[in-house]
Amino acid sequence: MVDGHMQIGEVAERTDLSLRTIRYYEEVGLVVPSARSQGGFRLYTEADLRRLAVIKRMKPLGFQLEEMRELLELLSRDTAELTDRERERLRDFQHKADEQCDRLRSRLRTAEEFAETLHNRLAD
């Protein structure tokens, strides 16, 4: 890290995202490097890393790109500043996240049951 900025390789390592994924998120406007080096390299800050972490947590919940953009905008603002409509939208996102978490837990239970079947088979 130099002057509070990191190059994309360090960001990829710290976020466990691929370079390609980070570049894609930039291309679609989900995250924008805070600066560029004199050589044109993307430079990121800790705030950029936090944003990428939020995006990474949204991905398995099935949020579409436009939803992610909207949600990132809502999350970047103080809750007290949100309009009633924006608060309702945030509740919609919360509901969607809760439903998807339930689905993921169910799938995990199924996978764990199968893994247990394999363990039992090998124990015989």
Side-chain angles (χ1 to χ4, degrees), residues 5-32:
H5 289 91
M6 296 161 270
Q7 289 188 0
I8 195 169
E10 183 177 349
V11 172
E13 186 175 309
R14 289 185 56 189
T15 60
D16 199 30
L17 294 169
S18 69
L19 299 175
R20 182 178 176 182
T21 297
I22 296 168
R23 287 184 186 115
Y24 174 72
Y25 289 158
E26 178 187 358
E27 181 183 314
V28 297
L30 291 179
V31 67
V32 178

Side-chain angles (χ1 to χ4, degrees), residues 30-87:
L30 291 179
V31 67
V32 178
S34 291
R36 293 264 181 176
S37 70
Q38 288 182 351
F41 293 104
R42 296 166 176 85
L43 298 175
Y44 298 86
T45 62
E46 289 293 333
D48 297 326
L49 256 66
R50 287 190 297 274
R51 185 175 177 97
L52 283 165
V54 171
I55 294 166
K56 184 178 175 180
R57 289 192 301 263
M58 280 189 242
K59 189 70 175 147
L61 297 176
F63 288 106
Q64 301 300 312
L65 289 175
E66 194 53 46
E67 291 175 315
M68 293 170 98
R69 277 189 210 96
E70 182 181 356
L71 190 46
L72 286 164
E73 168 60 28
L74 292 171
L75 293 173
S76 72
R77 297 176 37 215
D78 189 296
T79 307
E81 297 174 0
L82 298 177
T83 66
D84 289 342
R85 183 192 170 291
E86 290 169 329
R87 283 177 190 269

